[in-house]
Amino acid sequence: MQIINASKEICTQLFHLCENLKKDEYSHCSSLLLGSSIGKHMRHIIEFFDILREGSELGEINYDTRVRSIQIENEPLVAKERLALILAWLEESSVNKNLSLYLNFDQDSGAVKQVKSNLMRELAYNLEHAIHHMALIRIALNQQFPHVKVDANFGVAYSTIRYNKDQCAH
């Protein structure tokens, strides 16, 4: 399935990034990332996939309930372990399931709203969300850690990859 394969590809790229960054590079706070670090962006991506992985079993997802693990932020080995769990789950995922997504876009109220969704829709969301954060990570890599090599399409949307290929063909 296209969404699952693309999700595995993105998670594999993130896994390899963890292998190629030193711990201090991974957790380095950068002005390019508005005081954040590559590790914090990795944590954010991983926790969204974790919420989906765990919530898909229950049929309920709420991305606001993520843990914000300091270990994932600071330890590339811990991030690799979590990505390995996500990759194993993606290997087993083939059936689209109906899900209830719980969300709150109100800055003042704690009132949570329920929206109907499904596993493939949420995987597509997580995929695009990850690519967005990977683009930010790539900026930091290019400027601060140019010795760290990533896939040529790391942080590039699939539609942009197709567009670029089409432009080169003309």
Side-chain angles (χ1 to χ4, degrees):
M1 201 172 240
Q2 205 176 52
I3 295 170
I4 292 173
N5 288 338
S7 297
K8 289 191 294 190
E9 181 180 359
I10 292 303
C11 288
T12 299
Q13 287 180 14
L14 293 169
F15 187 91
H16 290 308
L17 176 61
C18 290
E19 290 181 319
N20 294 322
L21 278 172
K22 295 177 187 157
K23 184 178 173 180
D24 63 322
E25 295 168 338
Y26 180 84
S27 60
H28 174 74
C29 287
S30 167
S31 60
L32 293 170
L33 297 173
L34 303 176
S36 189
S37 67
I38 291 170
K40 286 182 181 184
H41 282 273
M42 291 289 288
R43 180 213 24 98
H44 187 71
I45 294 166
I46 290 167
E47 287 183 345
F48 267 61
F49 273 105
D50 277 347
I51 291 284
L52 179 57
R53 179 176 57 84
E54 294 163 5
S56 68
E57 296 302 314
L58 304 170
E60 298 181 347
I61 300 163
N62 184 339
Y63 296 112
D64 292 343
T65 61
R66 60 193 184 278
V67 177
R68 294 173 173 87
S69 167
I70 299 299
Q71 277 192 308
I72 297 173
E73 284 183 18
N74 294 320
E75 301 285 342
L77 290 175
V78 174
K80 278 177 50 178
E81 290 170 4
R82 295 290 277 275
L83 286 163
L85 288 174
I86 294 164
L87 284 162
W89 170 70
L90 289 168
E91 281 294 329
E92 298 168 5
S93 298
S94 62
V95 177
N96 195 9
K97 302 176 183 180
N98 289 327
L99 302 170
S100 293
L101 173 64
Y102 294 91
L103 44 83
N104 179 353
F105 291 110
D106 187 330
Q107 293 181 3
D108 300 315
S109 166
V112 176
K113 303 295 180 194
Q114 179 184 1
V115 176
K116 291 180 181 182
S117 189
N118 62 61
L119 179 59
M120 293 304 138
R121 172 63 190 99
E122 293 306 312
L123 262 179
Y125 167 72
N126 273 262
L127 181 61
E128 293 293 332
H129 175 257
I131 291 168
H132 163 78
H133 283 275
M134 290 166 71
L136 296 170
I137 291 169
R138 188 166 188 164
I139 291 168
L141 290 173
N142 288 347
Q143 295 298 311
Q144 295 178 314
F145 310 117
H147 62 280
V148 177
K149 302 300 177 210
V150 291
D151 186 273
N153 292 321
F154 187 97
V156 181
Y158 283 89
S159 61
T160 304
I161 295 167
R162 287 189 306 276
Y163 175 81
N164 290 342
K165 281 182 182 179
D166 186 51
Q167 293 301 303
C168 290
H170 289 97

